[in-house]
């Protein structure tokens, strides 16, 4: 699909939009449900709150930890395939890549200062009104799910520092009724442990935990903060919950930097001997302010060679569709290992990811510096002002009235929904076949990683 041009668009009433503007309601058996469910529906909880109360999570009731549903049951996958609606053309690019994975940055704030992510002097935080509100995140998430997105990952900054992260996740979990299958989070783990049970109750299915060293002293030097024990406590808690049936996929992300932690690669691999997790080694990537240098980067083949020297039997595993990581395993180990090779062997051909920054910009490529504001378009429905709870509830009432009258759509305004979809479709349509090579990337202006959201 090429870029959408306004001159070629017919009025909405003359277009077949049944597959574009309708939330897909599949039969319950066609979607894998996360193994936990809340005792109180979010709708009932919201109704019981005062009008000026913030969106929040319902009270948590410890679940019975039922066995996690199988993710590979053939008949379930076949049923889901037969029931699936046509994929939205707005999320399909000129190279036929279907973008079903949305990453949403919840905040610019972080409780660590990792050397490869943030400049030593920190970053100036954007004014609060420029950041997406919780209702705005929910409106955008619902719109993208209605178009075919079935996986959402929450990033940052550090998403767990957002005060209403549990309430937000509870409401994102409700999008399972519209086709959402995976709700994941990327976290540094520092403040994660105490929130895990609430997140799992909301529908959490995966955690990518950033941890670049297993040494407490090195942790303090690379993050400029203390807290290794708290991070490791989050790892242990996820594994404990999984032994009781939580079914949360755990991946540990390790950015490998020469002279810093390449000597720990084998130690990380050996975590998988008895632990059911995946360690992913990430090539060091250039972003504004992280002082990237080619000589600091340890490439895929070099990392693999280090592992083979200790475990020559390590073998390749078939990667899943749209997988960003090249997956390997050591026979006899419970866990696996992977390599994210953005610098030496890009995986752009199977890219299905879109990103929304915390200030509401859509990025179609991590390494691209072209962005488009969805926030400003969304706020046209509220006279340009941030959409808070009261405005959100009024918009929801209008939307429900439209649905009762037989008008399909996600947003309260059909015109605003069409405008957003056209802008999204144009941005996706302009996505390039692949990102620039290493030489160009190191000189290309881009946000610091903390302002992108990973």
């Amino acid at each position: 699909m090429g870029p959408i041009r306004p001159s070629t668009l017919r009025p909405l009433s003359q277009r077949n939009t049944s597959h574009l503007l309708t939330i897909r309601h599949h039969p319950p058996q066609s979607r894998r449900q996360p193994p936990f469910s809340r005792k109180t529906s979010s709708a009932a909880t919201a109704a019981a709150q005062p009008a000026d109360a913030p969106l929040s999570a319902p009270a948590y009731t410890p679940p019975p930890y039922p066995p996690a549903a199988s993710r590979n049951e053939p008949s379930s996958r076949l049923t889901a395939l037969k029931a699936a609606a046509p994929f939205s053309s707005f999320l399909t690019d000129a190279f036929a890549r279907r973008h079903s994975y949305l990453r949403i940055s919840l905040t610019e704030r972080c409780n660590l200062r990792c050397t490869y992510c943030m400049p030593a002097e920190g970053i100036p935080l954007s004014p609060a009104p420029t950041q997406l509100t919780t209702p705005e995140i929910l409106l955008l998430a619902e719109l993208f799910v209605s178009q075919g997105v079935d996986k959402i990952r929450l990033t940052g900054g550090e998403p767990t520092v957002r005060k209403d992260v549990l309430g937000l996740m509870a409401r994102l979990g409700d999008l399972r009724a519209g086709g959402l299958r995976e709700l994941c989070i990327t976290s540094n783990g520092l403040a994660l442990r105490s929130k895990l049970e609430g997140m799992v109750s909301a529908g959490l299915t995966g955690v990518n935990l950033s941890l670049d060293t297993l040494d407490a002293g090195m942790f303090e030097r690379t993050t400029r903060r203390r807290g290794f024990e708290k991070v490791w406590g989050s790892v242990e808690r996820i594994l404990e919950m999984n032994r009781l049936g939580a079914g949360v996929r755990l991946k540990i992300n390790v950015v490998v930097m020469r002279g810093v932690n390449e000597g720990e690669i084998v130690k990380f691999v050996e975590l998988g001997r008895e632990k059911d997790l995946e360690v992913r080694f990430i090539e060091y990537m250039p972003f504004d302010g992280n002082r990237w240098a080619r000589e600091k980067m340890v490439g895929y083949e070099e990392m693999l060679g280090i592992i083979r020297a200790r475990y020559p039997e390590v073998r390749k595993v078939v990667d899943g569709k749209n997988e960003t990581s090249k997956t390997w395993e050591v026979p006899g180990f419970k866990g696996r290992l992977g390599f994210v090779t953005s610098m030496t062997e890009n995986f752009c051909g199977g890219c299905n990811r879109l990103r929304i920054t915390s200030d509401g910009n859509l990025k179609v490529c991590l390494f691209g510096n072209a962005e488009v504001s969805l926030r400003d378009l969304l706020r046209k429905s509220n006279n340009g002002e941030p959409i808070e709870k009261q405005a959100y509830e009024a918009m929801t009432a209008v939307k429900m009235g439209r649905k009762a009258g037989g008008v399909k759509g996600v947003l309260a305004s059909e015109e605003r929904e069409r405008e957003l979809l056209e802008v999204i479709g144009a941005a996706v349509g302009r996505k390039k076949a692949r990102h620039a090579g290493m030489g160009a990337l190191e000189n290309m202006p881009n946000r610091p990683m903390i302002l992108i959201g990973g």
Side-chain angles (χ1 to χ4, degrees):
M1 185 190 95
I4 296 178
R5 300 178 175 82
S7 61
T8 66
L9 289 168
R10 291 173 287 159
L12 196 64
S13 60
Q14 298 178 19
R15 295 162 61 198
N16 178 10
T17 59
S18 60
H19 69 296
L20 300 179
L21 300 178
T22 306
I23 298 180
R24 298 176 300 156
H25 292 282
H26 302 317
Q29 66 269 24
S30 71
R31 296 187 305 277
R32 174 176 56 79
Q33 295 290 344
F36 295 99
S37 60
R38 298 183 304 284
K39 299 296 183 182
T40 307
S41 71
S42 52
T45 302
Q49 292 178 330
D52 59 349
L55 292 170
S56 59
Y60 173 71
T61 303
Y65 294 115
S70 169
R71 296 187 175 87
N72 299 306
E73 209 282 312
S75 61
S76 297
R77 299 213 314 262
L78 183 60
T79 301
L81 184 62
K82 290 179 178 178
F87 196 84
S88 171
S89 61
F90 289 107
L91 300 185
T92 305
D93 69 14
F95 306 95
R97 294 176 295 200
R98 296 180 172 186
H99 295 79
S100 58
Y101 178 7
L102 179 66
R103 302 171 69 100
I104 305 174
S105 176
L106 299 187
T107 179
E108 296 175 344
R109 297 179 181 273
C110 188
N111 45 9
L112 295 179
R113 296 292 183 271
C114 299
T115 56
Y116 57 83
C117 182
M118 187 186 296
E121 64 275 14
I123 58 167
L125 295 174
S126 303
T130 67
Q131 301 295 289
L132 289 176
T133 66
T134 292
E136 289 166 347
I137 292 172
L138 294 174
L139 287 168
L140 288 173
E142 187 176 1
L143 180 64
F144 276 90
V145 170
S146 77
Q147 301 304 300
V149 162
D150 59 15
K151 179 178 181 179
I152 290 177
R153 178 176 297 280
L154 303 179
T155 67
E158 170 52 39
T160 62
V161 305
R162 188 175 176 118
K163 293 180 180 179
D164 66 345
V165 64
L166 292 180
L168 173 58
M169 290 184 71
R171 281 155 180 78
L172 289 174
D174 289 342
L175 294 179
R176 286 173 291 177
L180 184 68
R181 299 186 182 188
E182 296 185 62
L183 179 58
C184 307
I185 191 168
T186 294
S187 171
N188 60 35
L190 196 63
L192 179 65
R193 189 183 192 283
S194 63
K195 298 177 174 65
L196 280 168
E197 290 188 348
M199 289 180 174
V200 172
S201 289
L204 179 71
T205 59
V207 173
N208 283 15
L209 193 143
S210 302
L211 180 63
D212 303 316
T213 177
L214 298 174
D215 178 80
M218 180 60 73
F219 178 90
E220 186 173 346
R221 290 192 291 275
T222 57
T223 66
R224 307 183 181 112
R225 295 291 187 274
R226 297 179 180 177
F228 174 80
E229 293 77 12
K230 292 182 179 179
V231 175
W232 192 251
S234 294
V235 172
E236 295 286 7
R237 181 57 179 150
I238 294 170
L239 294 173
E240 178 186 12
M241 293 174 73
N242 281 345
R243 286 192 291 270
L244 297 172
V248 176
R249 292 183 301 279
L250 174 60
K251 298 178 182 179
I252 295 180
N253 288 344
V254 185
V255 177
V256 180
M257 295 165 284
R258 194 179 309 281
V260 178
N261 62 346
E262 80 273 26
E264 296 189 63
I265 289 176
V266 171
K267 291 182 181 179
F268 273 106
V269 171
E270 290 173 343
L271 290 178
R273 186 187 302 275
E274 300 296 337
K275 293 178 172 59
D276 186 9
L277 51 76
E278 179 177 333
V279 175
R280 303 198 312 170
F281 299 106
I282 301 174
E283 294 177 341
Y284 183 36
M285 295 177 277
F287 293 96
D288 282 4
N290 73 351
R291 298 180 180 178
W292 183 90
R294 190 183 297 249
E295 58 270 18
K296 290 183 181 179
M297 192 197 75
V298 182
Y300 166 46
E301 291 294 343
E302 183 178 352
M303 289 188 277
L304 186 57
I306 292 171
I307 296 167
R308 276 180 168 150
R310 176 64 181 83
Y311 294 102
E313 69 272 28
V314 66
R315 61 192 181 194
K316 186 73 178 68
V317 176
V318 176
D319 297 317
K321 183 181 179 182
N322 305 125
E323 186 59 64
T324 61
S325 175
K326 295 175 173 61
T327 311
W328 291 69
E329 67 180 6
V330 177
F333 280 31
K334 289 184 178 179
R336 290 183 171 185
L337 56 142
F339 302 88
V340 179
T341 61
S342 302
M343 301 302 293
T344 60
E345 295 184 22
N346 74 63
F347 36 82
C348 302
C351 182
N352 68 333
R353 291 165 297 285
L354 299 172
R355 291 171 171 82
I356 297 178
T357 62
S358 64
D359 56 357
N361 281 4
L362 176 67
K363 283 180 72 77
V364 298
C365 176
L366 174 63
F367 293 106
N369 50 21
E371 302 179 0
V372 60
S373 177
L374 304 183
R375 177 201 65 204
D376 294 346
L377 288 173
L378 194 61
R379 290 181 181 178
K380 283 185 178 182
S381 301
N382 197 40
N383 299 316
E385 296 297 320
I387 300 172
E388 302 291 355
K389 184 184 179 186
Q390 187 174 0
Y392 175 68
E393 290 176 343
M395 293 170 67
T396 300
V398 172
K399 178 181 71 175
M400 299 308 294
R402 289 175 62 222
K403 287 187 176 181
V407 180
K408 299 176 181 179
V410 169
L411 303 184
S413 165
E414 186 176 7
E415 178 185 358
R416 194 67 56 237
E417 183 164 317
R418 179 186 64 184
E419 186 176 10
L420 269 167
L421 287 174
E422 290 171 355
V423 167
I424 292 167
V428 172
R430 290 192 296 268
K431 185 170 181 175
K432 297 179 180 179
R434 62 185 61 84
H435 65 65
M438 191 187 308
L441 282 178
E442 60 186 294
N443 298 308
M444 181 185 295
N446 200 356
R447 297 185 184 217
M449 175 62 95
I450 194 168
L451 296 183
I452 295 175

